[in-house]
Amino acid sequence: MEDENNSIDKIDEAAMEALFSELDKGIDDMKAGRVFPVEDAFQIIDDMLDRETNQE
């Protein structure tokens, strides 16, 4: 049971590091003025999801 908890903690730690990395990139983009209107941002996300879904 202890090994299972350790692996879950590592996964959560890795996920948190990835999340914080993405948030840092987003903050850097905002500071540099690289921002999109909400509608454009959602379209970019939709396009990325479509490409990812079609690759699998």
Side-chain angles (χ1 to χ4, degrees):
M1 184 69 131
E2 187 173 319
D3 289 337
E4 184 179 319
N5 287 338
N6 287 338
S7 64
I8 290 172
D9 290 342
K10 289 178 185 176
I11 292 169
D12 288 346
E13 185 176 317
M16 290 301 290
E17 286 180 25
L19 173 63
F20 287 135
S21 175
E22 291 300 315
L23 289 172
D24 285 341
K25 289 177 190 175
I27 291 169
D28 291 343
D29 284 343
M30 287 189 303
K31 287 179 179 177
R34 294 184 298 260
V35 295
F36 298 98
V38 172
E39 296 83 11
D40 293 346
F42 277 112
Q43 185 61 52
I44 291 168
I45 293 167
D46 282 341
D47 294 344
M48 290 172 67
L49 289 171
D50 286 343
R51 282 193 301 269
E52 186 175 316
T53 301
N54 292 330
Q55 285 180 348
E56 293 180 21

